Amino acid sequence: MQRLDALTSLKRTFKRGEYLYRSGEPFHALYAIRNGFFKTQVLHEDGREQVTGFQMPGEIIGMDAICADAHTCDAVALEDSEICEIPFNLLEELSRDVPVLQRHLHKIMSREIVRDQGIMMLLGSMRAEERLAAFLLNLSQRFSARGYSPNAFLLRMTRQEIGSYLGLKLETVSRTFSQFQENGLLSVRVREVEIMDVLRLRSFVGHI
Amino acid sequence: MQRLDALTSLKRTFKRGEYLYRSGEPFHALYAIRNGFFKTQVLHEDGREQVTGFQMPGEIIGMDAICADAHTCDAVALEDSEICEIPFNLLEELSRDVPVLQRHLHKIMSREIVRDQGIMMLLGSMRAEERLAAFLLNLSQRFSARGYSPNAFLLRMTRQEIGSYLGLKLETVSRTFSQFQENGLLSVRVREVEIMDVLRLRSFVGHI
DNA sequence: CACGGTTTTTGACCTATATCAAACGCATTT
DNA sequence: AAATGCGTTTGATATAGGTCAAAAACCGTG
């Protein structure tokens, strides 16, 4: 337990817009988000960006960097945030002695793989409405798991970032929000979202 | 070394079309492909499918299953294949005693995460030609790494499976192949592909 | 509270890809 | 050799979402 504490003793704060790490930087730690909100993104040479995820408190990021000892994406704070640094060789050392921790680490990495599968599904075979519905339901579920309202929350990201994540243009995201609002599925005021009809929103995902 | 051998002693063969595992089945092992070719796919309730990867010899599959102790996708042999089963608790046990193996396992899982990031990039922000070019170059590179020709190879999957993987319809895949052929980038005869102009093919990926 | 910059919304129009349909090729069976 | 059946190619047409543009809302700052 003491060793586990030692693992997670280094905390750092980030202002909105600051980078936790950048693609190419050497790898030495994973990061647990204590509070705030991050996005991870991959940048193409030609300037195109792909947001690969939005992370909230309790989630671990940086696992992409293990395989080549360098980060393969950027992590940017979407609001003032605090993270806790987990030096990876200490984590590995400790997980050799504590099988439960070892399994836990493997599960976390596996969960990331499954999450990515879900995004592939979304990007590869869903239409705009389904993508946005899936996105909102996913946020809702994660807020709920953290003790916040599953029905009313604040978006920390821009339309452009949502669009990048969902493989859509920002205008399409905006239009789809408006359309959902017209249909009484939700009420949007820019960044404030309130889900009015979860069931109907759910019925969007997974049905043509 | 003996223990490592014991890990990988159980081998099994699969005929084309047979399932290595199915979504929902309990998890107990990872699988190393010895020879042959597999695809992994996620099925939606409504029947839509998303191919999440094509695996070739030397690659490890099944890591999605760790997080919930159950497989989250199907793995299907695309040709007669042989795999080697790696019981996961033995692997964990051994990797506790052999730090190099532990790190290796983490790298493999991390590589899967990075691979998925690449697919997100592809699905989220590339056009049909870029997607197909990226796909072919990726296959080429992997064949090359296994000692096969990087320029001429046999596709083990149908147009429909390529399409599902790339987020395109099979007709679009077929048309894009024809278009590449017309432009002298490659020569296609159904499943046989020969890359005639790698550089120009490369120039497709990552540039508008 | 006015200002400048960013983000969002909405409209009009365009295009890449999907859809539908038919023909073709190739392998396997009868 | 004909028949069957899957996978592929190609054509004609439709459409979801992209693009371009302008206005509106919002936000931080002096």
Side-chain angles (χ1 to χ4, degrees):
Chain A
M1 265 304 163
Q2 286 166 359
R3 290 171 66 189
L4 195 66
D5 276 353
L7 250 191
T8 61
S9 60
L10 185 55
K11 293 175 185 53
R12 282 164 63 199
T13 58
F14 291 83
K15 290 241 161 282
R16 185 151 78 85
E18 285 185 331
Y19 282 69
L20 169 49
Y21 53 76
R22 285 172 195 268
S23 182
E25 284 177 6
F27 168 65
H28 67 104
L30 301 182
Y31 304 94
I33 297 171
R34 306 217 93 213
N35 52 62
F37 233 89
F38 283 81
K39 69 167 172 179
T40 48
Q41 63 186 9
V42 185
L43 297 177
H44 245 210
E45 314 87 72
D46 62 16
R48 273 179 291 183
E49 68 161 34
Q50 174 69 35
V51 172
T52 54
F54 298 108
Q55 293 82 20
M56 51 174 80
E59 296 175 340
I60 308 280
I61 58 178
M63 290 170 292
D64 53 275
I66 300 168
C67 80
D69 275 314
H71 289 281
T72 62
C73 62
D74 306 331
V76 190
L78 292 178
E79 59 183 24
D80 296 358
S81 303
E82 190 188 8
I83 62 90
C84 170
E85 195 170 313
I86 309 170
F88 193 63
N89 39 28
L90 293 187
L91 178 59
E92 278 189 326
E93 205 178 288
L94 188 53
S95 84
R96 286 200 289 272
D97 296 343
V98 186
V100 185
L101 178 62
Q102 182 192 32
R103 175 55 67 102
H104 191 64
L105 173 59
H106 295 156
K107 290 203 176 196
I108 287 170
M109 297 188 75
S110 172
R111 193 171 309 134
E112 181 75 15
I113 293 170
V114 172
R115 188 188 74 88
D116 293 348
Q117 272 182 7
I119 303 177
M120 282 183 232
M121 179 95 228
L122 182 143
L123 292 171
S125 50
M126 289 188 183
R127 337 190 308 85
E129 299 141 39
E130 299 179 86
R131 293 183 199 195
L132 189 62
F135 170 70
L136 292 171
L137 289 169
N138 174 263
L139 280 186
S140 161
Q141 182 263 310
R142 285 154 74 200
F143 278 121
S144 172
R146 279 158 187 77
Y148 299 105
S149 166
N151 300 316
F153 46 85
L154 204 71
L155 298 171
R156 267 71 170 193
M157 63 298 279
T158 67
R159 299 289 187 261
Q160 135 72 24
E161 285 163 337
I162 297 174
S164 168
Y165 180 65
L166 298 179
L168 301 169
K169 293 290 150 176
L170 68 95
E171 294 94 329
T172 305
V173 174
S174 176
R175 279 184 235 273
T176 309
F177 266 122
S178 302
Q179 180 198 321
F180 279 174
Q181 177 155 263
E182 277 162 33
N183 295 328
L185 291 170
L186 41 85
S187 123
V188 213
R189 255 206 29 235
V190 193
R191 303 284 185 108
E192 291 161 57
V193 173
E194 185 176 0
I195 298 178
M196 314 295 275
D197 192 340
V198 207
L199 294 176
R200 209 137 61 81
L201 202 58
R202 252 180 227 149
S203 77
F204 260 98
V205 186
H207 301 289
I208 300 174
Chain B
M1 265 303 160
Q2 287 166 358
R3 289 172 67 188
L4 195 66
D5 275 352
L7 251 191
T8 61
S9 60
L10 184 54
K11 293 174 184 54
R12 280 164 63 198
T13 60
F14 290 83
K15 292 240 160 282
R16 185 153 78 85
E18 284 185 333
Y19 282 69
L20 168 51
Y21 52 76
R22 284 169 195 272
S23 181
E25 285 176 5
F27 168 65
H28 67 105
L30 301 181
Y31 304 94
I33 297 172
R34 306 217 94 212
N35 52 62
F37 233 88
F38 282 81
K39 68 167 174 179
T40 46
Q41 63 184 8
V42 186
L43 297 176
H44 244 209
E45 315 87 72
D46 61 15
R48 274 180 292 183
E49 68 159 36
Q50 174 69 34
V51 171
T52 54
F54 298 107
Q55 294 81 21
M56 50 174 83
E59 296 175 340
I60 308 280
I61 57 178
M63 290 170 294
D64 52 274
I66 301 168
C67 81
D69 275 313
H71 289 281
T72 61
C73 63
D74 305 331
V76 190
L78 292 178
E79 60 184 24
D80 295 357
S81 304
E82 190 189 7
I83 61 91
C84 168
E85 194 169 316
I86 308 170
F88 192 64
N89 39 30
L90 294 186
L91 177 60
E92 278 189 327
E93 206 178 288
L94 188 53
S95 84
R96 286 198 291 271
D97 296 344
V98 186
V100 184
L101 178 63
Q102 181 193 33
R103 175 56 66 104
H104 191 65
L105 172 60
H106 294 156
K107 289 203 175 195
I108 287 171
M109 296 188 75
S110 173
R111 193 169 310 134
E112 179 75 16
I113 292 170
V114 173
R115 189 188 73 89
D116 293 348
Q117 272 182 5
I119 303 176
M120 280 184 234
M121 180 93 227
L122 183 144
L123 292 171
S125 49
M126 290 187 183
R127 339 193 300 87
E129 299 141 40
E130 299 180 85
R131 293 184 200 194
L132 189 62
F135 170 70
L136 292 171
L137 290 168
N138 174 263
L139 280 185
S140 161
Q141 181 264 311
R142 285 154 76 200
F143 278 122
S144 173
R146 278 159 188 77
Y148 300 104
S149 166
N151 299 317
F153 46 84
L154 204 71
L155 298 171
R156 267 69 171 194
M157 64 296 280
T158 66
R159 299 289 187 263
Q160 134 72 23
E161 284 163 338
I162 297 174
S164 168
Y165 179 65
L166 298 178
L168 302 169
K169 293 291 150 175
L170 68 97
E171 295 95 330
T172 305
V173 174
S174 176
R175 279 184 235 274
T176 310
F177 266 121
S178 303
Q179 180 198 321
F180 280 173
Q181 177 153 264
E182 277 162 34
N183 295 329
L185 291 171
L186 41 85
S187 124
V188 214
R189 257 207 24 237
V190 193
R191 301 285 184 109
E192 291 160 56
V193 173
E194 186 176 0
I195 298 177
M196 314 295 277
D197 193 340
V198 207
L199 294 175
R200 211 137 60 82
L201 202 59
R202 253 181 225 147
S203 78
F204 259 98
V205 185
H207 301 289
I208 301 174

